[in-house]
Amino acid sequence: MHNFQALFDYVQKLSGEMLSADDKQVFIAHFKPKKIRKRQYFLQEGDVCKYTGFIVKGAAKTFTVDEKGHEHILKLSVENWWLADFESFYKLTPSRFNIEALEDMEILQITHGLVEEFIKPIPAFSAMQNVLSQNNTIAAQKRMQSSISQTGEERFQELVNDYPHFIQRFPQNLIASYLGLTPETLSRIRKNSSK
Amino acid sequence: MHNFQALFDYVQKLSGEMLSADDKQVFIAHFKPKKIRKRQYFLQEGDVCKYTGFIVKGAAKTFTVDEKGHEHILKLSVENWWLADFESFYKLTPSRFNIEALEDMEILQITHGLVEEFIKPIPAFSAMQNVLSQNNTIAAQKRMQSSISQTGEERFQELVNDYPHFIQRFPQNLIASYLGLTPETLSRIRKNSSK
DNA sequence: AAATACGCTTGATAAAGATCAATCTATTTT
DNA sequence: AAAATAGATTGATCTTTATCAAGCGTATTT
C-alpha cells in the first residue's frame, strides 16, 4: 500500500505529530485508493459530493459552466491537496460545481461519515485539519483581496510568484479562467508584460 | 456581565452544545470587554493582530489602501462575527490590513495564546470552531466564484439576496468597494437595474 | 446658523477586458 | 500518414468598469 505514504507524510507534516502503526491501519481501512483517468469526472454538477479524495498523483479542475457555456475555474488541485466541493461534501447538498481530472489521477477517497467516525478521532488528523483550515482561510483571503483590488496583470504576476509550478503544469487557458480572464486577455497581458 | 450572553448564545448555537456554568466562567475570565468608537482603528497595517474580538455590538471594515490611496474593503463585520486579520492573528506576522470601526462597537477580545490554552479545551468552543471553519470555507468559495464569473451587477444582486441587511446598514460606497467596484459604477448599476 | 464633510449622482473620457473571427502550431486520435 | 483536436496568438470591435470633474443634498461639526 505504498500510495498511503504520501497521505501519512502529509498528515504528519501539517500536524507536527506522528502517526502510530494503529493510526495508519485506520487510514488504510477506511480510505479507498481510486484511479481517475484524464477527462473523467470526479463530481458532476447537481450530484452530491459524497467523497473527498487525497490526491496522491495527478491534477484536477473545479469549475462551473455559465449560461453561455463558458467554463469558470474555481480551483486547480494537485498532489497533496484534498479534492471535493466542500459545501456539498459537508452538507450533502447537490453541488454547483464539476470536478474533472486534467491528468490521470490516483486518489485516496472517503466519505464524510467515515471521516467523522473513524479518522477525526485520530489526534494528528484533527490537528492537521486545524492547520489546513487556517491555511485555507489565509489563502482564500489573499485571493479575494487580489480579486477586488488588482488588475489581471497584477493577479497573474502574483500567481507566477505564489504558484510557479501551476504555470508550468497547466495550459494558459486554464490559468486564465482561474484568474477570471479570457485566454485572449491573458495572452495579451503576457505579451505586454514581457516588454 | 450581560454582554457575554451574546457570545454564549453564539457558541451554543453553532456548536449545538450547552456551556456549563464553569465553561462560562472560563470565558468571562479570559475575554476582555472593550469599546471601540466609530472611526477608531482595531488594527493598523504593519501591526500584528494580537487580538480577535467577538462583536457584541457595532460594525467594522477590513481594508487595504493601494498606491493611489484608494481603499479596498475585504470584509464588513457585524454583530456575532469575529473581528481579526486571521493571517496575522494565527501567525503573529505584521498585517497587510486595517480594521476600523464604522460604528461605536462593543467587543470581547482575547489573544491567540489564551484561546489555545483556555478556550479551545472547552468542547463546545472547539465544535463551534469546526462549524465556523466550514461556513467560512463555503462563503469564501461562493464569493470567489462570483468574483471570477459574474459581472458587477450580478455580484450586487447576489449581495442583496444573501446579506440584505448590509445594504441597509452600510453606505453605498462601502458596498461598492466590497464588491470590487467604484462608487460611481455601483450607482450606475443600480440606476440601470431598477429599470 | 454657517461651515464642513460625507455620500450619491451624472457626464465625459479613458482604460481594461470580452467577444468574435481567423490563423498557426503542436498534439492526439484514428 | 492523415485528420481532428487543443491551445496560443492576433486583429477588430464592443462592453464593462475606472477615472476625473462637477454638482447636489443631508448630516455633522463648530
Side-chain angles (χ1 to χ4, degrees), chain A residues 17 19 62 85 95 97 104 110 131 133 161 164 191:
Chain A
E17 296 177 26
L19 291 166
T62 299
D85 167 18
S95 178
F97 298 100
D104 290 348
I110 188 168
V131 173
S133 140
N161 290 335
K191 190 177 161 195

Side-chain angles (χ1 to χ4, degrees), chain B residues 132-169:
Chain B
L132 186 57
S133 139
Q134 286 187 10
N135 291 350
N136 284 342
T137 301
I138 292 168
Q141 177 170 283
K142 188 165 187 209
R143 191 172 171 209
M144 200 60 232
Q145 156 64 11
S146 293
S147 190
I148 60 169
S149 63
Q150 298 192 285
T151 64
E153 177 159 4
E154 292 167 323
R155 299 202 302 278
F156 176 67
Q157 273 313 324
E158 199 167 279
L159 186 68
V160 170
N161 290 336
D162 293 354
Y163 304 99
H165 50 289
F166 272 33
I167 311 292
Q168 307 299 323
R169 188 162 184 175

